[in-house]
Amino acid sequence: MIGGGSAGYAAARTARDAGADVAIVDQGPLGGLCILRGCMPTKTILRSAEIMALMKRAREFGLNPVTAQADLSAIVDRKNRLVQEFADYRIAALRDPRFTLYESRAEFLSPHELRAGDGRIRGGAFVIATGSSAAEVAIPGLDEAGYLTSDEMLDVRRQPASLLVLGGGLVAVEFAQFFARIGTKVTMLQRGTTLLSDMDGDIGHALAAAFRDEGIEVMTGVSFQRVSSGSSEKIVHFIQGGAVHTRSAEVIFQALGRRPNLNGLNLKAAGVCVVDGRLVVGGDMRTSQPHIFAVGDVNDLTPIVHLAIEQGETAGFNATHPNEPARVIDHRLDAEVVFTEPQVAVAGMSERQCREKAIPYLTASYPFADHGKAMCLGAVHGFVKLLCRPDDGALLGAQIVGPEAGELIHELIAVMYFHGTAQDLLRIPHYHPTLAEIVTYPAESIVEQMGRA
């Protein structure tokens, strides 16, 4: 295993349990992206901003107002304590004597041999799980002006007065709301037509509306021209709607994507095909070399941790069972959660995917602004949307923008797992008043549409 993050460790554990002799090569720091620089640290700091935002709304709930002021250094300290705890657990697992751990770089010498530090390792199968890094973006003047990526943003201890966020994906929106909620003036510049532009447009529009209500300036459909530096701020020059605009801030956060970590692996010696900077894999996680697999961010398929783990387990099984039918990834239940407020959660197919694949569907949505429990909570941004097959009502996909979306989506994933229908959602008891019962309203609309068809 080359890499001991979530995907690599899952592959190593699966191969070990199948009786294989497993070596893990990881140049460190040990722990993986999710623990060190991804899921866990970001969700930790977002919790601080969520509490602060609620404190600022005290009067809305009939409470005496309080003065909430963020201590960014203390937030970073709390994040570091938790991350170290998570990392210690993973490091102990990697150093389990049932593995052989090489804390060094890995470089292929041939399809069946690689260099790890001063030693050489021969293997019958290899799993590449080296993760990803923030992509470098060619905007004239950006490097000279200076910017921070998500790695550096997690360690910022002096709160910037203003922040320009370049990008509108998952990482961009989570950091943008965090800094806005602790008092930084935030402007988002997104190249796509909406935030989260890889999802259906109504999701991005709903999230942008919530952001604007919190004072975040969101500008979409921009084309970056150049970056310059003023006396105290950095200036981004861009085109939007045919006109030239500028926005300036103390700090630029570059969140325009990530790239697979392939440097130094010498994949040419391994005979592995690389296309446009990423490893091409099949559903069985094999690269162009049948005994070499690639899992997690390095294959640039789905940068989602639970899917990376599934990929690792699939690769670990296939590597150790070459004479059995290969396991393949089933993407029918793919899911993603964005931990903004409102949260965004999607599962299964989107409207865009249905249209692209000419799959017939019925859809219905229902707003949280008209849902009793959400109104009680004061969390009225967003909606629930269902996509179902017209003939039998089978659930094809689900999208939630709203309170606790990351938790609510799991009921819909469970229904999809069992090939359930809109009719099933109506039959399943839903306690009142709960957020969960909102899914019954679009389900009812879809059943009505089926009756009229």
Side-chain angles (χ1 to χ4, degrees):
M1 309 300 159
I2 308 174
S6 297
Y9 177 68
R13 184 190 63 231
T14 303
R16 179 200 66 197
D17 291 347
D21 183 12
V22 178
I24 302 171
V25 184
D26 192 317
Q27 65 181 347
L30 298 179
L33 177 65
C34 171
I35 291 175
L36 300 178
R37 293 291 174 185
C39 315
M40 306 316 292
T42 55
K43 279 42 179 185
T44 302
I45 67 172
L46 285 171
R47 178 59 173 164
S48 297
E50 178 185 345
I51 293 171
M52 185 165 178
L54 278 173
M55 292 171 68
K56 289 180 178 179
R57 296 174 61 189
R59 189 179 294 280
E60 176 185 339
F61 296 98
L63 305 174
N64 290 330
V66 295
T67 301
Q69 186 172 354
D71 181 343
L72 185 53
S73 187
I75 292 173
V76 171
D77 286 340
R78 176 176 183 266
K79 178 263 297 182
N80 288 344
R81 288 194 300 271
L82 285 170
V83 166
Q84 190 60 56
E85 184 177 337
F86 301 139
D88 287 346
Y89 183 82
R90 172 58 55 78
I91 292 169
L94 292 172
R95 290 176 175 164
D96 186 308
R98 289 175 293 178
F99 298 124
T100 302
L101 176 64
Y102 296 83
E103 296 186 51
S104 65
R105 282 181 60 253
E107 177 189 3
F108 278 99
L109 301 174
S110 73
H112 287 277
E113 186 176 25
L114 58 81
R115 177 184 291 115
D118 296 329
R120 295 190 175 196
I121 301 173
R122 290 193 61 84
F126 297 89
V127 178
I128 303 171
T130 47
S132 65
S133 303
E136 296 180 0
V137 181
I139 302 175
L142 179 60
D143 287 345
E144 292 77 9
Y147 62 89
L148 301 179
T149 67
S150 57
D151 286 354
E152 293 89 27
M153 291 296 288
L154 281 168
D155 292 329
V156 169
R157 290 181 177 270
R158 188 185 67 81
Q159 182 180 338
S162 53
L163 179 69
L164 272 174
V165 180
L166 309 187
L170 182 155
V171 174
V173 295
E174 289 186 352
F175 273 98
Q177 189 174 49
F178 168 76
F179 277 96
R181 285 186 156 187
I182 66 172
T184 296
K185 179 185 176 183
V186 175
T187 299
M188 300 193 71
L189 303 177
Q190 160 71 326
R191 293 175 295 189
T193 56
T194 64
L195 297 179
L196 303 176
S197 57
D198 58 336
M199 300 183 185
D200 284 343
D202 48 1
I203 293 174
H205 288 306
L207 186 60
F211 275 19
R212 290 180 178 122
D213 281 354
E214 292 194 9
I216 301 172
E217 183 180 19
V218 178
M219 303 186 72
T220 58
V222 309
S223 175
F224 296 111
Q225 298 300 295
R226 63 188 178 92
V227 179
S228 60
S229 297
S231 57
S232 61
E233 292 189 323
K234 308 171 195 300
I235 306 163
V236 176
H237 306 252
F238 60 95
I239 295 174
Q240 184 197 49
V244 177
H245 301 268
T246 63
R247 290 294 186 274
S248 60
E250 179 184 343
V251 173
I252 291 177
F253 170 36
Q254 194 275 90
L256 294 169
R258 301 183 66 82
R259 60 172 178 78
N261 289 331
L262 301 178
N263 291 342
L265 288 175
N266 194 18
L267 293 175
K268 185 176 181 180
V272 172
C273 180
V274 179
V275 178
D276 295 329
R278 75 176 183 90
L279 292 167
V280 179
V281 296
D284 57 2
M285 296 296 107
R286 284 185 168 90
T287 66
S288 55
Q289 283 280 21
H291 70 288
I292 300 178
F293 302 77
V295 296
D297 283 6
V298 75
N299 64 34
D300 203 28
L301 290 178
T302 48
I304 310 297
V305 172
H306 78 278
L307 296 177
I309 292 171
E310 184 180 3
Q311 291 179 11
E313 292 170 345
T314 299
F317 177 88
N318 291 336
T320 53
H321 298 79
N323 298 320
E324 295 186 22
R327 290 184 180 175
V328 297
I329 299 289
D330 178 9
H331 293 286
R332 186 175 67 89
L333 301 177
D334 281 4
E336 183 172 1
V337 177
V338 183
F339 290 89
T340 48
E341 192 174 356
Q343 289 184 8
V344 175
V346 298
M349 302 196 72
S350 66
E351 288 196 71
R352 181 185 304 174
Q353 290 170 326
C354 286
R355 289 193 296 265
E356 289 174 349
K357 297 181 179 181
I359 296 174
Y361 69 95
L362 296 175
T363 185
S365 63
Y366 195 86
F368 279 98
D370 194 37
H371 184 58
K373 182 60 183 293
M375 295 166 70
C376 294
L377 295 174
V380 294
H381 280 289
F383 59 88
V384 172
K385 181 170 69 173
L386 304 179
L387 286 75
C388 296
R389 285 206 301 249
D391 54 349
D392 60 3
L395 195 58
L396 293 169
Q399 302 171 7
I400 305 176
V401 182
E404 301 297 339
E407 307 298 330
L408 295 177
I409 198 70
H410 287 84
E411 174 187 359
L412 300 172
I413 294 173
V415 170
M416 291 173 62
Y417 178 85
F418 290 105
H419 299 275
T421 65
Q423 299 92 314
D424 290 324
L425 283 172
L426 294 179
R427 297 185 189 108
I428 295 171
H430 287 83
Y431 197 88
H432 175 78
T434 61
L435 292 171
E437 64 181 334
I438 194 174
V439 302
T440 63
Y441 300 118
E444 185 175 14
S445 176
I446 286 174
V447 171
E448 290 175 354
Q449 292 178 57
M450 292 173 63
R452 293 193 299 265

